[in-house]
Amino acid sequence: MSNHDDAILDEAGRWRSRDLAVLWHPCTQMREHPDVLPLLPVARGEGAWLVGHDGSRTLDAVSSWWTNLHGHAEPRIADAIARQARTLEQVILAGCSHPPAVELAERLLEIAPREPGRDPLAKVFYADNGSAGIEVALKMAFHWFRNRDDEPRRTKFVALQNGYHGETIGALSVSDIPLYRRIYAPLLMQAIFAPSPDAYLARDGQGAAGCAEDAADALAHLLDEHAGEICALVLEPLVQCAGGMRMHHPAYLRRVRELCDVHGIFLIADEIAVGFGRTGTMFACEQAPAEARVGGKGGVQPDLLCLSKGLTGGFLPLAAVLATQTIYDGFLDDSRERAFLHSHSYTGNPLACAAALASLAIFASDDVLARNRATASTMQALAAPIGRIGHVADVRQTGMIVAFELARDGDRRRPFDPSARIGLRAYRAALARGVLLRPLGDVLYWMPPYCIDEAQLGLLADATADAIVEATT
Ligand SMILES: Cc1ncc(COP(=O)(O)O)c(C=O)c1O
């Protein structure tokens, strides 16, 4: 090995040790770095690749925590941010206005799900990240009822079992992943959890539709029980991502919409992970079947829609909460206390809004949704043979998300003992093959940047198959 090669390798090593000397990484038992859990130093990004200091390439199969849409360092988004940085980098949004915030709100309201005959989403409130967006939606729903003198008892939220909405105290209160939640339980507000429509839980012969129907019936029962106490229901439409990429039948969304209407509660759709084309349509809510009474085009429209992650194409943190006119009007009053006084310093940051506008322009110019349809069918073809590997209990797909659930002998009633750390073993095996998978427990999944090409998908499929075999034998 030449001195030059040594120097490059040393550079990666140097970054690793400088990092571990000063950084506390998210969602990580730091004791596992670097021996159990390798640390990947990244020098730059390029399309679907993460490039190391030695030029080695690792495929980002998880879109960097589901944020990246069009590829890393996408030049059109990078240029838009640079232009905006030279024009206006930040301004207080209370009392001031700027073009990127206005234009982005206009664009989001144009593309948001809309149901005929329903009060449309009409206003946009910005926050800084997904969890903050959820906090905004919860507080808005609660405060709206507080502002009405006739319904003081509506203080509760309904969420779904196995759902996930973020890590801040409010968002964690409506999340149901024990690993993240249990320790903080004494701090959390009490939410009501309804059974998940998760199709993986279907009984033999029941199918996804039957499972969704049962979950909706159970929800109906729960809402009856708590009539007059609930202000909103929050869910992740079509895919419970952090809960193991568990997927459900879209008919569930229609039933939920109807039940929320019957009980006069707000439907909060958390499309933070699934929005912007992940599930095959721009928003997952669009895939719900048409309402029997209205007919025509499908899709449900929530009362509050939470967006983040891919909103900026994965470049900058930003969240947007879209609300109906009715919700907005409920805060108009002579009293300041009846106003929504929530704020974050960087609300509506111009750089983040400019990135989001550039990302949305790419959807139009590159016909991203059509390209995704082709990519999704390639993913389906590549995933099918992996489903035949021993210990793969389920292969499921919704649009650009594919998941492989591992269980002993492929029997979903016999999950692996968590102490076997099958997911961690698969992570290491895939990383050694140049692919960044980040399994959720024993669920391996693909959620790649939309620019991923056929050769990269081939690498992804091979690495996944090898990783499953290596981790389970
Ligand atoms: C569905 C969903 N909601 C909310 C969040 C929280 O977003 P953030 O991590 O930006 O706070 C996440 C994060 O993974 C998510 O998947």
Side-chain angles (χ1 to χ4, degrees), residues 65-67 128-134 164-168 171 235-236 239 241-242 270-274 308-309 317-318:
W65 255 339
W66 324 333
T67 59
D128 296 358
N129 56 60
S131 304
I134 292 291
Y164 178 81
H165 302 284
E167 297 296 335
T168 51
L235 55 65
E236 298 160 87
V239 188
C241 293
D270 175 354
E271 295 229 16
I272 287 163
V274 295
S308 188
K309 289 194 185 271
L318 177 69

Side-chain angles (χ1 to χ4, degrees), residues 195-255:
S196 171
D198 175 5
Y200 188 73
L201 304 176
R203 295 188 305 276
D204 286 344
Q206 187 186 31
C211 193
E213 200 60 32
D214 278 4
D217 290 344
L219 174 65
H221 189 69
L222 211 80
L223 296 184
D224 283 341
E225 241 175 77
H226 293 276
E229 299 170 18
I230 296 161
C231 48
L233 179 150
V234 57
L235 55 65
E236 298 160 87
L238 296 189
V239 188
Q240 294 188 308
C241 293
M245 298 296 162
R246 294 290 183 83
M247 300 174 185
H248 57 257
H249 196 282
Y252 181 73
L253 301 176
R254 170 59 57 203
R255 286 283 312 275

Side-chain angles (χ1 to χ4, degrees), residues 24-82:
W24 190 342
H25 286 259
C27 204
T28 301
Q29 172 47 269
M30 290 302 292
R31 210 172 195 186
E32 295 187 344
H33 273 319
D35 298 335
V36 179
L37 192 63
L39 184 65
L40 180 70
V42 177
R44 60 192 178 83
E46 190 186 304
W49 296 113
L50 301 170
V51 185
H53 296 277
D54 59 353
S56 62
R57 285 168 177 258
T58 303
L59 193 66
D60 183 357
V62 296
S63 294
S64 285
W65 255 339
W66 324 333
T67 59
N68 190 280
L69 298 188
H70 312 294
H72 289 283
E74 211 292 333
R76 289 167 287 184
I77 302 179
D79 288 348
I81 295 171

Side-chain angles (χ1 to χ4, degrees), residues 116 289-299:
E291 189 177 10
R293 280 182 292 122
V294 177
K297 201 169 155 274

Side-chain angles (χ1 to χ4, degrees), residues 5-249:
D5 290 341
D6 273 346
I8 290 170
L9 280 180
D10 276 348
E11 197 178 348
R14 260 196 307 278
W15 279 112
R16 264 190 210 101
S17 51
R18 280 177 66 180
D19 176 303
L20 294 174
V22 294
L23 280 187
W24 190 342
H25 286 259
C27 204
T28 301
Q29 172 47 269
M30 290 302 292
R31 210 172 195 186
E32 295 187 344
H33 273 319
D35 298 335
V36 179
L37 192 63
L39 184 65
L40 180 70
V42 177
R44 60 192 178 83
E46 190 186 304
W49 296 113
L50 301 170
V51 185
H53 296 277
D54 59 353
S56 62
R57 285 168 177 258
T58 303
L59 193 66
D60 183 357
V62 296
S63 294
S64 285
W65 255 339
W66 324 333
T67 59
N68 190 280
L69 298 188
H70 312 294
H72 289 283
E74 211 292 333
R76 289 167 287 184
I77 302 179
D79 288 348
I81 295 171
R83 268 196 310 277
Q84 187 59 46
R86 286 190 291 269
T87 309
L88 175 68
E89 82 301 340
Q90 163 65 2
V91 64
I92 174 174
L93 199 65
C96 294
S97 177
H98 59 80
V102 176
E103 285 171 18
L104 179 59
E106 288 170 350
R107 281 292 292 133
L108 291 174
L109 294 172
E110 257 168 45
I111 62 174
R114 179 172 294 218
E115 262 181 273
R118 186 177 293 281
D119 180 23
L121 295 166
K123 299 286 178 196
V124 176
F125 192 99
Y126 292 116
D128 296 358
N129 56 60
S131 304
I134 292 291
E135 301 286 342
V136 166
L138 297 176
K139 284 177 70 181
M140 268 183 188
F142 170 84
H143 195 161
W144 189 88
F145 281 106
R146 278 284 142 140
N147 282 352
R148 294 172 49 142
D149 298 322
D150 54 339
E151 301 219 68
R153 285 196 314 123
R154 289 198 186 253
T155 56
K156 294 190 177 143
F157 297 101
V158 174
L160 299 192
Q161 287 170 3
N162 195 46
Y164 178 81
H165 302 284
E167 297 296 335
T168 51
I169 297 295
L172 198 56
S173 297
V174 290
S175 300
D176 182 43
I177 309 223
L179 182 62
Y180 307 139
R181 179 189 164 92
R182 202 183 295 125
I183 189 79
Y184 303 105
L187 301 180
L188 304 181
M189 59 182 179
Q190 297 299 311
I192 299 164
F193 288 97
S196 171
D198 175 5
Y200 188 73
L201 304 176
R203 295 188 305 276
D204 286 344
Q206 187 186 31
C211 193
E213 200 60 32
D214 278 4
D217 290 344
L219 174 65
H221 189 69
L222 211 80
L223 296 184
D224 283 341
E225 241 175 77
H226 293 276
E229 299 170 18
I230 296 161
C231 48
L233 179 150
V234 57
L235 55 65
E236 298 160 87
L238 296 189
V239 188
Q240 294 188 308
C241 293
M245 298 296 162
R246 294 290 183 83
M247 300 174 185
H248 57 257
H249 196 282

